[in-house]
Amino acid sequence: MSGISGVGGAGGIDRVMQLRAQILERNEALQRATSGAAAPATAPVGQPAGPSSFIDTMQQAVANVNDAQSRAGDLAAAYERGETIDIAKVMLARQEASVGFEATLQVRNKLLTAYRDIMSMPV
């Protein structure tokens, strides 16, 4: 019990604060990546975005989700093999992959709803 209070408790708080800082950094990186995905489409001045820009964006988003899921699977497998990997890193990667998959699923659902709405419009 002496590890919970005193110096050990302060070390635990420092570790939690470090994990919090890492989570905030990853959150900022995700926000930059999401806002950065739209930037290349508007970057070339004088050139209109081609008709394939939406397709390219969707393919890139699906590839990013796939990469996140592969990375999470690799980290989980390494942890299960007993390699020195922090469980927090494994759980964070799995949660990141899960959130990415859910977001992709929601975009797909919205696209299907929009398609159905357009197809049911009277001509």
Side-chain angles (χ1 to χ4, degrees):
M1 285 231 184
S2 63
I4 294 174
S5 62
V7 178
I13 291 172
D14 290 340
R15 180 157 170 81
V16 168
M17 294 306 290
Q18 288 174 349
L19 288 173
R20 180 182 176 273
Q22 288 176 356
I23 290 170
L24 291 175
E25 287 173 7
R26 283 187 181 242
N27 189 20
E28 290 173 5
L30 285 172
Q31 288 176 351
R32 282 192 306 269
T34 336
S35 64
T42 59
V45 177
Q47 274 189 343
S52 64
S53 65
F54 177 76
I55 293 170
D56 292 341
T57 302
M58 289 303 294
Q59 286 176 341
Q60 183 181 10
V62 170
N64 289 343
V65 170
N66 187 34
D67 290 343
Q69 287 180 335
S70 295
R71 190 172 47 251
D74 292 343
L75 283 172
Y79 181 78
E80 290 169 359
R81 284 191 303 266
E83 296 176 12
T84 56
I85 295 182
D86 189 15
I87 186 66
K89 182 185 270 190
V90 174
M91 296 309 293
L92 184 62
R94 290 184 70 137
Q95 192 64 29
E96 181 182 327
S98 175
V99 168
F101 181 75
E102 275 298 316
T104 304
L105 191 62
Q106 291 300 321
V107 168
R108 182 206 66 151
N109 290 343
K110 291 292 183 182
L111 285 171
L112 285 175
T113 302
Y115 176 77
R116 286 185 190 130
D117 290 345
I118 291 170
M119 293 308 290
S120 67
M121 286 182 181
V123 179

